[in-house]
Amino acid sequence: IEDLKKRYYAQQDGRYADNAANDEDGASSDATEGHDDEDEIYEGEYQGVPAHNDGKQRDGQVALGQPVSDSLKSQKELENERQADEEELAQQYELIMQECGHGRFQWQLFFVLGLALMSDGVEVFVVGFVLPSAETDMCVPNSGAGWLGSIVYLGMMFGAFFWGGLSDKLGRKQCLLISMSVNGFFAFLSSFVQGYSMFLLCRMVSGFGIGGAVPIVFSYFAEVLAREKRGEHLSWLCMFWMIGGIYASAMAWAIIPHYGWSFSMGSAYQFHSWRVFVVVCALPCVSAVVALTFMPESPRFFLEMGKHDEAWMVLKQIHDTNMRARGEPERVFTVNRIKIPKQLDELVELQSESSNPVLKIWLTFMKCFDYPVRDNTIKLAAVWFTLSFGFYGLSVWFPDVIKHLQADEYASRVKIHNSERIEDFTFNFTLENQIHRNGVFLNDRFISMKFKAVTFIDSSFLNCYFEDVSSVGSFFKNCTFVDSFFYNTDIDDSKLTNSRVINSSFHHNKTGCQMTFDDDYSAYWVYFVNFLGTLAVLPGNIVSALLMDKIGRLSMLGGSMVLSGISCFFLWFGTSESMMIFMLCLYNGLSISAWNSLDVVTTELYPTDRRGTGFGFCNAMCKLAAVLGNLIFGSLVGITKAIPILLASSVLVGGGLVGLRLPDTRANVLM
């Protein structure tokens, strides 16, 4: 840092000397000071962009000091010049950020971008919490179950690639505003649509919008941080994803169980409590959009686009905001010139500006596979994929295994009734978790009652009366109904398996699903387990933030993934709900350091002109792995423990070893 400062101020002194020489020749200069009507001196007045040569002789200049035309230089010479300009700009920008300091401006942006990152965490958890209620409320058959989780991740995958790439062309703030607005609008709209297909479409587009949050947020925030602050404060920013998970878990627990929080407009329109939950989960996104409108664009992006005047104004705003907060409003922003990188081919730049956004994104994406970032892109993609595959796969597997254990325990308490005969009896209470075999029900009345997980096998119902009856998870197998009457019930062909109906009639049958939250005995546990699992991330977040710049990104990344993989082996001993919950918390606490380290490393490895694109591609690989993890691990629930445990352990350990081969970025300036 001290060496960079000496070089930077030597350059400034050289410029001041040039200005003094000009003054001696009779020319006037106000590069560093000027006079107003009261003859007061002021410093730091912006002088615009220096010439390409900036008063220094480069390779390719003639002896008399006149620069050679670019058309006479080779492509290699031009590339070397631009590379030198980029390195000088990166070093100068680092010194400028040190002069701006770390203070109120960074903390304001920290909380604004934190809301956007919180929205991404909420979107991921909403899928799992809404899935059971939405599929039940919309009467989704088993063949359609599970599509919601996969389609949202697919939307996030395409969104990460698209918005991340677009942010390198249109700007961090503008793209984040648009993507978050898309997410908020369609998330809000999804709470009102009634059909499952339209609900899937809205959540997919909502996922497409929020997919841009992670790559843009980290790129944006990293570009206003000095090097010594970058690792720690990007790690603190990661905590908002955990806060989003806690927020979603708490709101699900508080809202979804209250089926009374609903209204209906006839039988065609239903608005149940889970829809209220969807609306509440859109609030962080709306808040982020409103707050983001008051923040400026990334100055580093402005410099990359050649908008040096705009970049200087933002940098001065950062400096003045921080100095006023420190109680030093008299401190002057001394930067008056900013380096400009040489453009290699102005014609190519003009053509690129006129091309469509998709082509721009694709061309920038292909640059991520050019030397020298090609190997880093491949390694980063592998680490993102393996970490996400293990994390999201186990995140699906853990709750489902707990639900499977609960279902086994529930089934072990079933009451079995054989060859019973009941005559002239009125059932007006709930029958739950029972099996009736070879029973005879004669002149019985079933009024205002519910069958919950009840199965009748080879039973007969003679001259029976059913009124206002609902059945959840209940079936009549090989049964016979003679001279019976059904009014306002949900007993239909789907509940009557190989049964005979003789001289019986059905009137005013109920439509829709009759299941309520109270009928799902595992729902409370799902919310509680996710809440505990998210809360367990807090210690790991704090540790990673405090140690990120001390022990290094790569040591934390590789060590966290290897330890997470080893912790998976303890799942062999998870034979109870409490043990599985403990293992979930342990795994989440160990893996969060890997996520934080990966966010920091990915941000620092890519140059500014492709930082959003590279991060977006890696995050797209993350979401692809989430889809595959959901499908593969979800299909193994209740079948075997060996495959999920070995699969998760191997990919996590393998990904950790690949992560250790990445270059160390602790000493990097943002290129």
Side-chain angles (χ1 to χ4, degrees), residues 10-31:
Q11 292 170 14
Q12 295 291 327
D13 292 341
R15 293 182 187 126
Y16 299 156
D18 290 341
N19 291 330
N22 292 335
D23 289 342
E24 292 176 0
D25 292 335
S28 61
S29 172
D30 56 352

Side-chain angles (χ1 to χ4, degrees), residues 296-323:
E297 180 58 83
S298 163
R300 189 66 180 86
F301 170 78
F302 274 147
L303 290 175
E304 195 65 31
M305 293 294 104
K307 299 179 179 179
H308 297 75
D309 294 353
E310 293 89 339
W312 186 87
M313 292 298 295
V314 176
L315 290 169
K316 187 176 187 301
Q317 177 185 348
I318 297 173
H319 175 274
D320 293 348
T321 301
N322 290 340
M323 293 306 111

Side-chain angles (χ1 to χ4, degrees), residues 37-83:
D37 294 337
E38 298 180 359
D39 201 32
E40 293 181 353
I41 298 176
Y42 58 94
E43 298 181 354
E45 184 178 2
Y46 183 56
Q47 299 299 305
V49 180
H52 287 317
N53 60 330
D54 200 21
K56 296 187 296 184
Q57 183 174 339
R58 292 187 183 277
D59 295 337
Q61 288 184 320
V62 296
L64 295 178
Q66 299 298 322
V68 176
S69 172
D70 286 350
S71 61
L72 300 179
K73 298 179 182 178
S74 67
Q75 183 70 17
K76 184 177 181 180
E77 289 176 324
L78 293 173
E79 289 177 354
N80 290 338
E81 286 188 17
R82 178 172 174 81
Q83 181 66 24

Side-chain angles (χ1 to χ4, degrees), residues 208-282:
F208 176 78
I210 200 62
V214 172
I216 299 178
V217 160
F218 285 101
S219 299
Y220 193 172
F221 195 49
E223 291 169 356
V224 296
L225 294 173
R227 177 170 50 189
E228 66 270 13
K229 298 286 186 180
R230 196 179 306 133
E232 177 184 351
H233 288 272
L234 286 177
S235 298
W236 288 124
L237 185 64
C238 294
M239 292 186 67
F240 279 94
W241 198 92
M242 176 203 67
I243 295 173
I246 294 176
Y247 174 82
S249 303
M251 291 300 101
W253 206 353
I255 295 174
I256 295 180
H258 298 282
Y259 260 62
W261 297 5
S262 61
F263 66 87
S264 60
M265 298 173 62
S267 60
Y269 191 88
Q270 305 288 331
F271 194 91
H272 291 144
S273 57
W274 67 268
R275 297 180 182 274
V276 178
F277 167 70
V278 172
V279 173
V280 170
C281 284

Side-chain angles (χ1 to χ4, degrees), residues 134 137-140 189-190 192-202 268-270 274-275:
D137 194 26
M138 298 178 181
C139 303
V140 179
L189 182 63
S190 70
F192 294 95
V193 299
Q194 294 294 295
Y196 191 63
S197 298
M198 282 301 298
F199 184 76
L200 283 176
L201 178 62
C202 287
Y269 191 88
Q270 305 288 331
W274 67 268
R275 297 180 182 274

Side-chain angles (χ1 to χ4, degrees), residues 162-172 175 215-216 219 301 612-613:
F162 178 79
W163 296 113
L166 199 62
S167 70
D168 285 332
K169 300 302 177 184
L170 299 184
R172 318 302 192 205
C175 284
I216 299 178
S219 299
F301 170 78
T613 304

